[in-house]
Amino acid sequence: MSTISRRTFLGIAAAGVAAAGIGVPFVRGIAGASSTGKVLPSRAPLPPPFRRRLTFPPVLRPTRSDATTDYYDIAQSVERATILPGLSTELWAYNGSFPGPTIRSRRGRTVKVRHTNNLPLPTVVHLHGGRTPQDSDGYPTDYVYPTDMSYYTRHHRHQQTGSGHEMVTGGDTRQGERTYTFPLQQRAATLWYHDHRMDFTGPSVWRGLAGFHLHHDDEEADLRLPDNEHELPLMITDRSFDTDGSLLYPSLDPTLVNQHGVHGDYVAGVLGDVMLVNGTPWPIAPVDRGTYRIRLLNACNARRLSLRLDPAAPSAITQIGTDGGLLAEPTRHDHLELAPAQRFDVLVDFSHYAPGAEVTLVNDFGTAAMGQVMRFVVGEGRPQTFKVPDRLSAIPVLRPADAVATRKFDFRAGDVNDHDGWLISQAPFSPDSVAAHVRLGSTEIWQLNADFHHPVHIHLSPFQVLARGSGGPGPFDAGWKDTIDLRPGEQTKILIHFDGYRGKYVFHCHNLEHEDMAMMANLVVT
C-alpha cells in the first residue's frame, strides 16, 4: 500500500482535520485511500493462494441447559497450528481453535459463558454487538488474571509505563475464570467475541482471541434463509509471520506486561501481508449452483476491505443484514466496503455461474497478494434459485426531532505522554474520565469528526447513520450499526437510542492500535 505523502498530509492539516504535532515518521505510517496503517512484511515465504480448503470453527455445544439459560465453557490457552506450509505457529486460542468456537444463541434464552484463563497474561472478553449489562460487557480493566500467575509476576515491573493506565487496579478483576452473562434480548445478528484487555487488545486479537457468536430470532427464522451447508461465516483477518512461522507483531514490550503500544509508524495501525479466512491463507471453497448466506466479518486490526466477486454476475451480491441484524429490505451491491469490526450479511447466488467456474473474492483495497481473499469453485448440477423476500424486517427509524442532546467528538492523532498516539476530543483514555453522561431511554445525535480512517465502535447501544458531510448516509450505512467507518477528513452524524442497561461503557476506534494508544472514552448510562 502506498503511504500518504508529506505534501498531502500538510494539505489535510491545513484544512483543519489533522492533529498538531505529528512527526514525519508517523505520517509515513498513514496509508493512502484504503487504510490507515503500515504493512508489516513477513519474513517467511508467502504460501501460494487457493491451495487449501476453507474450514469452519466448531459450533460450541452447551455444557448444560435449563428452562431459561444455556451454559458454555471456554478455555483460553496457548496452542500451536499449521497456518503456513511446513511451519508451526503459536496462537492464543479459545478452546484450542482459531477462530474460536462459534456460539449460536436464540432470543429469549440467556447465555452464560464461563471463560477460564490458562494464558500467561490477563484477558477480558467483549461480546461485540451484544446488548450486555455492564458487569459482563468486557470493560477494559475487568481483567481475568491467569490461573498461573508466574509469567505475569516475573515480568511485571510494578510501575506505570507509557500512558500509565494498564496498571489500573480499580476494575472488577477475577483470577482464573469469570462467567459472562448475556441476556441477548436483541434482534438476530452476526455478533463476535474478542479480547478487550486495556492497552493490549491489538496483540491479543492478533494472536488469535476472536470468534463468532451468531444470534437468531423468530423473525429471521420466518424468512427461511439459506442455512446449514449454505451458510458460510467468514472471519477475514490479515497476519504477518516470522521465518519460523511465529506471528510477527511490533510490540514495544514483547512480554505484553508493562509497556503497551507498537514501534514507530505502526502506531497508525498494523497491516499484515497474509490474508486469512477462518484461519486459512487464501482458501478455496467448493459451492453448488445455489444461493449462499455469507456472513462477512472484518476482524483485521487495521485493514479496511473492499470486496467484490470476480467475475461478477448479475445481482450476485444482495445485502440482507449489517452489524445490528437484518435490513428492512434487501440491497444489491457490486462491492462491499468493510472497516475493522464491521459485519455484512449477504446472499450470493452462484446459479449465475457455469459448472466449474472459479469465482474469486477480491479486495480492491489491497495490492499484490492482499488484493485477493479466497476463491469459490462452482460445482455441477442444475441451478437452484432462492427468492429473496422483498421485505426482511420492521426497523423503527430514529428521528432527529426526538434527540435530547447533540454531542461532538473529534477522533484525531495527538500526543499521549510525549508519545505519538490517538485522542478523542483532545483527551487520551482514562478509566476515571467520562466523556458523556446519557439517560437510559433517551435519544441523542453524535457528530463524529475524523482526521484519518477511524472505525468507531460504540458499546451497548446500536445506532443509525444520519449523515455524512452535507449528504445523507452512505451506500453501506443502512440499518442498525455498532461500528461506523469514518474516512479521512470526514464529519458524520449518528442517532443513538440508549436502551438496555445502566452503567459505564466505552466507545473507541476499532483500529486496534489506535484503541491501544488511547483512542477510547467512557460513556455512563444513568
Side-chain angles (χ1 to χ4, degrees):
M1 291 192 179
S2 61
T3 55
I4 191 168
S5 70
R6 180 167 173 78
R7 176 177 298 177
T8 301
F9 173 78
L10 292 175
I12 294 174
V17 298
I22 306 176
V24 175
F26 182 61
V27 175
R28 288 200 301 268
I30 307 296
S34 57
S35 302
T36 296
K38 178 179 172 62
V39 174
L40 177 63
S42 289
R43 297 167 183 163
L46 302 187
F50 317 133
R51 299 288 181 87
R52 292 174 55 187
R53 185 160 175 162
L54 176 71
T55 61
F56 299 94
V59 175
L60 191 62
R61 303 302 178 189
T63 54
R64 66 184 180 93
S65 298
D66 59 30
T68 62
T69 305
D70 297 314
Y71 300 83
Y72 297 86
D73 281 285
I74 292 179
Q76 307 168 10
S77 58
V78 177
E79 306 290 342
R80 301 198 74 87
T82 300
I83 298 177
L84 302 185
L87 297 175
S88 178
T89 300
E90 182 179 286
L91 297 169
W92 291 359
Y94 294 121
N95 273 14
S97 71
F98 170 59
T102 298
I103 294 177
R104 288 187 178 268
S105 60
R106 192 166 187 89
R107 187 169 188 170
R109 292 194 60 78
T110 297
V111 166
K112 290 181 178 284
V113 186
R114 180 172 62 184
H115 278 264
T116 301
N117 182 5
N118 296 323
L119 294 166
L121 294 167
T123 60
V124 176
V125 178
H126 170 55
L127 178 58
H128 188 119
R131 192 169 69 173
T132 305
Q134 174 192 312
D135 60 0
S136 290
D137 188 59
Y139 190 81
T141 57
D142 287 352
Y143 303 136
V144 181
Y145 283 98
T147 54
D148 179 356
M149 290 286 289
S150 58
Y151 176 90
Y152 186 81
T153 302
R154 185 167 66 252
H155 292 283
H156 187 198
R157 295 201 298 265
H158 302 285
Q159 65 181 20
Q160 293 183 345
T161 57
S163 64
H165 48 257
E166 198 278 326
M167 301 305 166
V168 169
T169 58
D172 180 12
T173 62
R174 313 287 172 87
Q175 183 174 352
E177 66 180 45
R178 183 189 187 104
T179 296
Y180 294 85
T181 300
F182 305 120
L184 291 165
Q185 293 298 329
Q186 59 188 94
R187 309 171 71 239
T190 301
L191 313 178
W192 63 301
Y193 61 100
H194 60 79
D195 189 71
H196 208 253
R197 176 191 169 201
M198 183 75 173
D199 293 346
F200 292 94
T201 296
S204 296
V205 172
W206 188 269
R207 293 184 182 205
L209 293 181
F212 276 109
H213 183 131
L214 307 180
H215 185 52
H216 304 278
D217 64 11
D218 291 342
E219 181 184 51
E220 176 198 49
D222 288 343
L223 296 174
R224 300 186 181 277
L225 298 169
D227 58 7
N228 299 320
E229 68 273 11
H230 283 79
E231 181 184 25
L232 308 180
L234 304 181
M235 180 183 289
I236 303 172
T237 58
D238 57 345
R239 297 292 185 266
S240 301
F241 296 85
D242 210 339
T243 53
D244 61 356
S246 60
L247 289 167
L248 285 175
Y249 189 83
S251 294
L252 291 174
D253 176 9
T255 71
L256 304 184
V257 175
N258 298 290
Q259 177 70 44
H260 71 285
V262 291
H263 289 282
D265 297 349
Y266 296 106
V267 173
V270 181
L271 308 177
D273 63 356
V274 176
M275 192 74 84
L276 305 178
V277 182
N278 293 351
T280 299
W282 296 288
I284 190 168
V287 293
D288 61 35
R289 300 180 71 197
T291 300
Y292 284 74
R293 180 183 187 180
I294 300 181
R295 297 177 183 260
L296 296 165
L297 162 62
N298 182 349
C300 300
N301 278 33
R303 183 181 293 275
R304 295 172 68 247
L305 304 170
S306 179
L307 304 178
R308 62 179 173 86
L309 296 175
D310 183 26
S315 304
I317 300 177
T318 302
Q319 183 188 0
I320 60 171
T322 185
D323 302 340
L326 292 169
L327 301 179
E329 57 190 29
T331 303
R332 287 180 168 80
H333 297 284
D334 58 7
H335 76 290
L336 300 164
E337 295 181 14
L338 289 85
Q342 288 188 315
R343 288 89 68 209
F344 277 66
D345 198 345
V346 301
L347 299 177
V348 174
D349 184 359
F350 289 103
S351 68
H352 296 286
Y353 296 97
E358 295 184 346
V359 184
T360 302
L361 185 62
V362 172
N363 170 34
D364 285 326
F365 283 164
T367 59
M370 300 306 286
Q372 298 177 319
V373 178
M374 63 174 294
R375 179 166 290 172
F376 302 97
V377 178
V378 182
E380 304 288 336
R382 298 177 59 184
Q384 298 181 1
T385 59
F386 172 81
K387 179 174 173 52
V388 181
D390 294 330
R391 299 291 298 176
L392 298 169
S393 178
I395 298 180
V397 177
L398 300 181
R399 302 185 309 167
D402 294 333
V404 299
T406 298
R407 303 178 192 270
K408 174 183 173 182
F409 296 103
D410 296 324
F411 292 79
R412 306 191 189 283
D415 181 83
V416 180
N417 284 3
D418 299 323
H419 293 83
D420 290 325
W422 300 92
L423 311 175
I424 297 180
S425 297
Q426 294 78 52
F429 179 62
S430 167
D432 301 321
S433 298
V434 177
H437 288 87
V438 303
R439 283 202 171 274
L440 187 67
S442 68
T443 299
E444 296 190 356
I445 296 173
W446 284 18
Q447 178 181 312
L448 311 176
N449 303 322
D451 53 359
F452 299 110
H453 294 103
H454 295 297
V456 175
H457 171 50
I458 301 174
H459 288 220
L460 181 64
S461 296
F463 54 82
Q464 295 175 4
V465 179
L466 180 61
R468 287 185 181 269
S470 59
F476 309 109
D477 289 337
W480 288 106
K481 310 287 285 184
D482 60 49
T483 306
I484 183 170
D485 182 14
L486 297 187
R487 299 174 178 89
E490 188 172 50
Q491 176 189 108
T492 65
K493 290 183 179 179
I494 61 175
L495 275 163
I496 315 176
H497 180 65
F498 293 97
D499 62 355
Y501 305 96
R502 296 175 174 85
K504 184 167 71 170
Y505 295 85
V506 293
F507 61 100
H508 57 86
C509 180
H510 221 284
N511 177 319
L512 298 184
E513 285 68 50
H514 295 191
E515 176 185 345
D516 286 347
M517 297 302 294
M519 189 169 263
M520 184 156 55
N522 287 306
L523 68 95
V524 171
V525 183
T526 59

